[in-house]
Amino acid sequence: MAEAVVSIVLEGLSNPIIQELKSLYGVPGKVQRAQTQLQIMQGYLKDADARQGHNEAIRIWVASVRDAAYDLEDVTETYVLKVAFKRKPNVLTWFTGIFIKAVNLYRIGSNIEKITTEISQLSSIMPSFNLHQTRESGGDTFFQRQQERRIAYPHIVDPHVVGDGRFLKEILTKLISPTNEQRQEIADLGKDQIAERLWYTQGERKCLVVLDDIWTSDAWSSLQAGFPMNEETGSRILLTTRNKEVASYVDKNGFLFELLPLDNDKSWELFEKIATEDTNHKIYEHKKELGMKMLQHCKGLPLAITVLAGLLARKDTVDEWIMVHKNVCAYIMRGTDFGPDCKGNGYEGVSWILELSYDNLPYYLKLCFLYLAHFPEDYEIPVSTLTKLWMAEGFISSASVEVMEDVSYMCLSELVGRCMVQVGKYGSSKKIKTCHLHDLMRDLCMLKAKEGNFVHIINYSAAVEIKQTPNGRVRRLAIYLDGRVEAYCLGREENYGHVRSLLYFSPEYFKFKDSKALRSLSNNFTLLRVLKFEHMDGRKCELPGEIGNLVHLRFLSVKDSDIVVMPSSIANLVCLQTLDLRTTSWDCKIPNGNVFSKMEKLRHIYLPPYDYVGVKRPLFATEAINLHTIVNICIQAYDLDDFVKLTNLRKLGVITFAEGEKKLEVTNIIFNHLQSLSVDSRFVDLAIPRNVVLSCPNIYKLRLRGHITKLPEDLLCLKNLTKLKLINFGDLKDDHIKVLEKLPSLRMLFASVGIFPASLVCSEGGFPFLEFLSLDYLGALKEWKVEKGAMPSLCILHIGDCYDLEAVPDGLQHITTLKELTIKGMRPEFCSRLGERGEDFYKIQHLQSVIITNIQASEEIKWEKELGPSNNKKSSVKRGFFILFYSFLCCVDFRRGDSDGDDGDECEA
């Protein structure tokens, strides 16, 4: 990892301001000498990283080089800020005074000299290790590299591997769909009482509980008390595990389905899909010969095959394949110990492939991959957040001509393409929305992160608190929280003084008492680049004024935290790229309109989501031309003319008021660069200003909250619009529906809280590309007909709380693409028509899944049909089999997650 760190530091040292250090404050040439020494060592560090596991002296040397590079970056960054402020004394007079008092210039100069001397000494002893020089095109841009390599991802197999918590309380909550009072009652129950209640719930009702990925017998033992295993009930349990012994331990008489390793033909079939696309027969045969030899070591394990194939997919020539084949043999001999959990489970053979795949990554991807070690096990990582974190850490070059956000996303795509990261969900634009790591790949990530002291994890959420002493200086810190609010207040400790990245992960509804933790961080961790303090609920508190001390911050998020006051000192955070102030407090306000005016590097800003009428209009820095995201901006207090200057703006969320409506109606501005737009009319009787929508011809995502007085034919000019949300839209007429069904690219439509025509007709040929349709809380809608040929691409239909609707639409039987139907909160008469003997069964009998929940008469039913006839004679499941359920939350788990696939951060609260 030292190779990656040194490469990133060297890139940062190319900053033009840093070059001025040669003539500033009596330190001429010292930074340049350190830079030269690091450049000399850079070519040898890849070999040193690979050999440090077998040579203690090399390991110590590598760690020293890594820390020295980090130290040089810390000191020079401090200089950069000082030089910038000295140039512009009017930019930050408050901070300049504090800075001069807090930092002695002679001391900084001495630190640079000390670090430079240390780097020179490390360079002088390098020849004694007999390291080999390795060159790679690490300096090329991502898109330059892609021109030299083909990139195709047809091999992304199994993109829906999702984990789940294994807590009895959560399972019970999902099964019974409790009211708020019942939730509190459950929260007060002891573990034995929870287990007892869960036991009886499954005995009294018909439930299907899926427990995914049980690793050990002990894990099952901790849950067993909640499940009636040997009782005659209508409930069933489906359990998956990697260990056959665990399956036998759970139920010796249960049905055991064992996945067998792939045979040679299936192994090659999977491998070929990923790794080879050669049309030249001779090259293909040579690669096949090499591939078959390497596949022998995969032992039929799909994960090993996909990882190896993902590695070779980036190797175009036969010579490159030969080199990998040679390395494969070396890795098999070397091996890797992944700990006792993998012993005897057949996964020891995959470890060498995983490590080989990691070592083959270019340095920038190694850092991106290791950053995933911050996130808890089974955590679905939002891609939008992850890519912003990579940018804030400096992993993505800002000197490139490509847009940083695009390069960052392509880095993720490359890790997915190498089968090192798995896709969780896709968004409406078919981009990756969430991702996660396979358990074994996460083991590798944690192992490499620990070896390189990349991140230190303090786990307060474990059954037994895990707070290991870090190995050396801590640069990045991840804290997993539970209910002990006092435990996470970090003090000034020697090993934490250089922390630059701090991410908090808390359970839902985590409570904290005050801002003591934030105040402590603001005073003691002044080198922070990243602070993620999200989902902190509880007593209202202030973001402390000391937050302004964190002048190195690139990423600051207090999203979904109970923050009521934003201090004016956030104006000091001039390095911010991402600022997320979407708190849960209704009365949270920005202090004044000028706090953002000096943030020249700002790219993404999310303002507090609630009303702030009367606040002075926010001003953004003139130099902040790279603003990509502005969310929750009040157009009553802002002139849209200023947005035209933001030529990189892709996502805009505006809140409209009366004056704002009049202003927008007369504007002739065209936002050709905008891709996502949200318009939120806060007054119930205020119509959506249609001109602002029509001024964004290239948007692919549109969210409208407020009355729609007219949907003009001009709306059809939105050729790229794939996702549309309509909320609180008032009375939608027939002619509105006719416009909607003609939208040329619409694939997802959400309509919630409004009035539809009493008799709705979807015309033949209407909604040609619509794949997902959701209708919730619609009044007046009584009859619905889908003409033959309408919605020919529909896959998922959701109908919820449409109380007047008498039946599912006539014509549904003609939509052969439809796979899922979910019904929520409808009348019993509506639901009863869908049974096998019901009047509407013929409309839905071709569907794979029908889910009915929250029937108004408090009866809930989930109906799920098999995809085809079963070959298992022991199976008791029949076509049309009914299972009683009592929670729509449980049903959501069966629907492969949220169908509302966004590309990341919505332009909304």
Side-chain angles (χ1 to χ4, degrees):
M1 195 194 74
E3 171 221 10
V5 171
V6 168
S7 299
I8 291 295
V9 170
L10 285 173
E11 184 174 318
L13 290 176
S14 63
N15 188 311
I17 297 180
I18 291 182
Q19 300 305 311
E20 299 184 18
L21 300 181
K22 300 175 185 178
S23 58
L24 288 173
Y25 309 119
V27 289
K30 292 178 182 177
V31 175
Q32 181 63 49
R33 287 201 300 273
Q35 187 176 6
T36 302
Q37 295 292 343
L38 288 175
Q39 287 171 337
I40 293 173
M41 289 190 285
Q42 185 181 19
Y44 297 90
L45 285 172
K46 188 177 182 70
D47 185 40
D49 279 333
R51 292 172 55 187
Q52 62 175 320
H54 307 278
N55 188 312
E56 182 66 12
I58 293 181
R59 188 193 68 77
I60 296 173
W61 182 80
V62 166
S64 300
V65 172
R66 180 187 66 235
D67 287 342
Y70 273 138
D71 290 342
L72 181 64
E73 185 179 44
D74 290 343
V75 176
T76 52
E77 277 193 353
T78 302
Y79 256 129
V80 167
L81 287 174
K82 175 57 185 167
V83 171
F85 296 150
K86 187 176 180 68
R87 279 177 169 177
K88 303 178 181 180
N90 62 330
V91 168
L92 205 53
T93 55
W94 180 89
F95 172 74
T96 302
I98 298 297
F99 189 93
I100 293 175
K101 294 178 182 178
V103 181
N104 183 282
L105 295 179
Y106 173 79
R107 181 180 174 186
I108 295 181
S110 299
N111 286 339
I112 291 181
E113 184 174 9
K114 179 182 177 181
I115 296 168
T116 303
T117 301
E118 182 182 357
I119 292 175
S120 298
Q121 292 173 346
L122 291 170
S123 180
S124 66
I125 64 174
M126 183 177 64
S128 64
F129 298 125
N130 193 28
L131 299 173
H132 300 289
Q133 189 173 25
T134 303
R135 294 289 183 185
E136 66 173 42
S137 57
D140 296 340
T141 66
F142 178 85
F143 290 102
Q144 287 172 331
R145 290 189 298 275
Q146 290 308 107
Q147 291 174 358
E148 299 171 359
R149 306 172 182 177
R150 73 179 183 280
I151 179 168
Y153 305 128
H155 56 281
I156 302 178
V157 181
D158 191 20
H160 300 293
V161 181
V162 182
D164 194 10
R166 303 168 190 101
F167 298 98
L168 299 181
K169 186 178 295 185
E170 293 180 359
I171 296 172
L172 177 61
T173 300
K174 291 183 177 182
L175 288 183
I176 68 173
S177 185
T179 63
N180 290 335
E181 292 77 10
Q182 290 173 325
R183 284 180 182 273
Q184 185 58 50
E185 178 187 350
I186 292 173
D188 295 336
L189 294 177
K191 184 176 180 179
D192 56 338
Q193 295 170 308
I194 290 289
E196 182 180 10
R197 187 164 177 180
L198 178 59
W199 174 291
Y200 284 113
T201 296
Q202 294 170 85
E204 295 167 354
R205 307 173 180 181
K206 293 182 179 181
C207 308
L208 174 63
V209 180
V210 180
L211 301 176
D212 181 44
D213 204 11
I214 304 295
W215 274 72
T216 65
S217 300
D218 289 341
W220 168 249
S221 296
S222 67
L223 301 172
Q224 185 175 5
F227 299 95
M229 296 297 296
N230 299 316
E231 303 292 329
E232 290 294 331
T233 71
S235 296
R236 296 293 182 264
I237 300 173
L238 174 63
L239 181 147
T240 69
T241 179
R242 304 172 186 277
N243 193 332
K244 186 175 180 179
E245 294 180 1
V246 174
S248 300
Y249 175 81
V250 172
D251 187 357
K252 292 181 174 59
N253 299 318
F255 173 72
L256 176 64
F257 179 76
E258 186 173 1
L259 292 173
L260 299 176
L262 301 179
D263 59 24
N264 289 340
D265 292 337
K266 292 295 184 181
S267 295
W268 173 252
E269 182 182 348
L270 175 58
F271 179 88
E272 184 182 26
K273 288 179 180 178
I274 303 172
T276 63
E277 287 184 352
D278 294 287
T279 56
N280 185 296
H281 180 72
K282 185 176 181 181
I283 294 177
Y284 172 83
E285 289 299 325
H286 201 164
K287 286 186 175 180
K288 182 174 182 179
E289 180 184 358
L290 291 168
M292 293 297 288
K293 290 179 180 179
M294 289 183 275
L295 280 176
Q296 297 303 312
H297 304 296
C298 294
K299 300 180 181 179
L301 293 174
L303 176 64
I305 295 170
T306 55
V307 171
L308 177 62
L311 168 62
L312 288 167
R314 265 67 187 170
K315 311 295 184 184
D316 291 332
T317 67
V318 173
D319 288 340
E320 289 177 307
W321 278 51
I322 292 174
M323 184 60 66
V324 173
H325 178 248
K326 291 179 180 179
N327 288 336
V328 162
C329 297
Y331 271 82
I332 293 172
M333 293 178 63
R334 187 171 90 188
T336 302
D337 183 8
F338 278 83
D341 287 339
C342 294
K343 292 295 185 183
N345 292 335
Y347 284 90
E348 299 92 331
V350 75
S351 62
W352 59 270
I353 295 182
L354 303 185
E355 189 171 2
L356 173 61
S357 184
Y358 168 79
D359 284 347
N360 193 259
L361 292 175
Y363 73 83
Y364 66 96
L365 282 184
K366 284 182 179 176
L367 292 173
C368 291
F369 177 73
L370 290 179
Y371 206 82
L372 300 177
H374 285 82
F375 298 92
E377 186 177 5
D378 295 331
Y379 190 90
E380 280 295 307
I381 305 170
V383 169
S384 178
T385 299
L386 177 63
T387 53
K388 292 180 178 71
L389 291 170
W390 285 347
M391 290 164 50
E393 285 279 356
F395 300 163
I396 310 300
S397 174
S398 59
S400 173
V401 295
E402 296 87 18
V403 178
M404 287 178 67
E405 285 76 8
D406 293 339
V407 177
S408 190
Y409 180 80
M410 285 300 180
C411 287
L412 174 69
S413 298
E414 189 164 353
L415 287 172
V416 170
R418 291 171 180 263
C419 302
M420 298 188 72
V421 173
Q422 294 182 319
V423 176
K425 289 185 284 188
Y426 287 95
S428 57
S429 63
K430 300 300 184 182
K431 294 181 68 175
I432 303 171
K433 180 182 179 182
T434 66
C435 65
H436 53 261
L437 291 176
H438 185 281
D439 288 337
L440 293 179
M441 193 61 76
R442 184 174 186 271
D443 288 340
L444 172 70
C445 184
M446 301 299 291
L447 176 67
K448 292 298 181 180
K450 184 177 181 180
E451 285 179 356
N453 198 26
F454 183 81
V455 60
H456 180 61
I457 296 175
I458 299 178
N459 190 355
Y460 292 115
S461 63
V464 178
E465 178 183 321
I466 301 174
K467 190 176 181 181
Q468 299 175 346
T469 302
N471 180 23
R473 289 179 179 174
V474 174
R475 301 283 175 170
R476 297 173 184 87
L477 194 60
I479 300 179
Y480 304 164
L481 300 173
D482 65 2
R484 288 171 289 172
V485 295
E486 294 84 7
Y488 69 90
C489 219
L490 299 173
R492 185 191 293 271
E493 299 181 27
E494 181 181 355
N495 288 329
Y496 294 159
H498 292 78
V499 171
R500 59 177 60 200
S501 180
L502 179 56
L503 280 66
Y504 285 98
F505 296 93
S506 63
E508 191 175 8
Y509 308 119
F510 178 80
K511 304 290 184 180
F512 70 104
K513 291 183 177 179
D514 53 37
S515 56
K516 182 180 178 182
L518 281 174
R519 185 170 291 108
S520 172
L521 295 174
S522 303
N523 289 327
N524 300 332
F525 301 92
T526 55
L527 292 176
L528 277 181
R529 289 183 175 185
V530 169
L531 177 56
K532 178 179 173 291
F533 196 78
E534 298 178 348
H535 306 290
M536 301 293 184
D537 198 3
R539 191 173 69 186
K540 298 179 182 296
C541 76
E542 302 179 6
L543 194 65
E546 289 86 347
I547 198 75
N549 295 337
L550 306 181
V551 293
H552 292 273
L553 274 181
R554 271 83 162 161
F555 180 100
L556 172 61
S557 177
V558 293
K559 181 182 178 182
D560 294 328
S561 293
D562 198 10
I563 305 291
V564 295
V565 175
M566 298 292 172
S568 59
S569 63
I570 61 174
N572 303 337
L573 309 180
V574 295
C575 294
L576 276 176
Q577 297 173 353
T578 299
L579 176 60
D580 196 336
L581 303 178
R582 291 176 292 180
T583 68
T584 58
S585 176
W586 282 87
D587 53 353
C588 181
K589 293 180 173 62
I590 55 175
N592 60 70
N594 296 323
V595 293
F596 314 119
S597 61
K598 308 305 178 186
M599 299 178 182
E600 300 178 0
K601 297 182 180 180
L602 197 61
R603 305 179 73 90
H604 306 275
I605 183 166
Y606 305 87
L607 297 172
Y610 304 111
D611 297 351
Y612 46 96
V613 183
V615 176
K616 186 178 180 181
R617 66 185 181 96
L619 297 176
F620 299 116
T622 305
E623 296 85 354
I625 57 174
N626 289 317
L627 264 170
H628 270 57
T629 304
I630 302 177
V631 170
N632 293 329
I633 189 77
C634 179
I635 60 173
Q636 179 191 31
Y638 202 91
D639 191 344
L640 281 181
D641 292 339
D642 292 340
F643 287 125
V644 178
K645 304 172 185 176
L646 304 176
T647 56
N648 289 308
L649 190 64
R650 295 183 178 181
K651 185 173 295 187
L652 176 63
V654 299
I655 301 172
T656 64
F657 293 89
E659 292 85 349
E661 178 190 14
K662 295 176 183 177
K663 186 175 225 180
L664 286 173
E665 287 292 344
V666 298
T667 185
N668 292 317
I669 299 171
I670 300 297
F671 299 96
N672 288 313
H673 41 278
L674 209 64
Q675 297 177 354
S676 179
L677 174 67
S678 173
V679 182
D680 190 339
S681 293
R682 286 298 165 93
F683 295 140
V684 175
D685 58 347
L686 179 62
I688 292 289
R690 63 187 181 93
N691 278 16
V692 70
V693 177
L694 298 179
S695 63
C696 307
N698 296 318
I699 54 174
Y700 64 84
K701 184 160 58 177
L702 175 61
R703 175 185 178 273
L704 302 177
R705 181 180 180 183
H707 278 206
I708 297 175
T709 57
K710 187 176 182 181
L711 279 179
E713 290 284 339
D714 293 347
L715 198 67
L716 301 179
C717 71
L718 303 180
K719 302 294 185 183
N720 300 325
L721 186 63
T722 60
K723 178 179 179 181
L724 176 61
K725 277 190 174 182
L726 304 176
I727 306 171
N728 291 332
F729 49 82
D731 193 354
L732 213 60
K733 305 296 185 182
D734 283 316
D735 55 343
H736 296 157
I737 303 296
K738 299 302 180 185
V739 172
L740 291 177
E741 67 179 9
K742 292 179 183 178
L743 287 171
S745 302
L746 189 65
R747 291 193 293 107
M748 305 182 75
L749 175 61
F750 301 79
S752 178
V753 190
I755 300 175
F756 258 39
S759 181
L760 175 64
V761 177
C762 294
S763 308
E764 179 181 359
F767 298 106
F769 301 107
L770 192 68
E771 299 174 2
F772 180 91
L773 175 61
S774 176
L775 305 178
D776 281 288
Y777 293 98
L778 301 183
L781 177 60
K782 187 176 182 180
E783 297 177 348
W784 183 7
K785 180 180 180 181
V786 177
E787 294 183 351
K788 192 171 184 179
M791 298 191 287
S793 304
L794 190 66
C795 297
I796 300 175
L797 173 62
H798 168 81
I799 303 174
D801 300 288
C802 298
Y803 307 125
D804 297 326
L805 188 61
E806 296 179 347
V808 294
D810 183 31
L812 210 61
Q813 64 272 20
H814 301 308
I815 306 179
T816 58
T817 57
L818 188 61
K819 306 299 181 184
E820 289 187 15
L821 171 64
T822 61
I823 306 294
K824 179 178 72 70
M826 300 295 286
R827 293 178 293 106
E829 306 92 285
F830 180 99
C831 300
S832 64
R833 297 170 63 100
L834 300 177
E836 284 196 25
R837 299 180 181 178
E839 301 171 63
D840 293 333
F841 180 72
Y842 74 97
K843 301 177 185 178
I844 63 169
Q845 61 182 341
H846 64 293
L847 304 188
Q848 294 178 0
S849 176
V850 176
I851 301 172
I852 304 176
T853 63
N854 290 29
I855 299 175
Q856 289 185 28
S858 75
E859 178 187 11
E860 301 173 355
I861 299 175
K862 175 179 180 292
W863 177 73
E864 194 173 62
K865 188 170 62 177
E866 287 185 299
L867 303 185
S870 173
N871 294 324
N872 173 22
K873 295 182 179 179
K874 295 183 179 180
S875 174
S876 61
V877 181
K878 300 179 181 178
R879 299 183 71 86
F881 178 65
F882 281 82
I883 305 173
L884 292 180
F885 269 77
Y886 290 81
S887 169
F888 82 94
L889 292 174
C890 186
C891 295
V892 170
D893 289 343
F894 283 85
R895 295 186 59 245
R896 304 192 302 275
D898 181 13
S899 296
D900 179 5
D902 295 316
D903 308 321
D905 299 304
E906 275 284 358
C907 293
E908 56 186 278

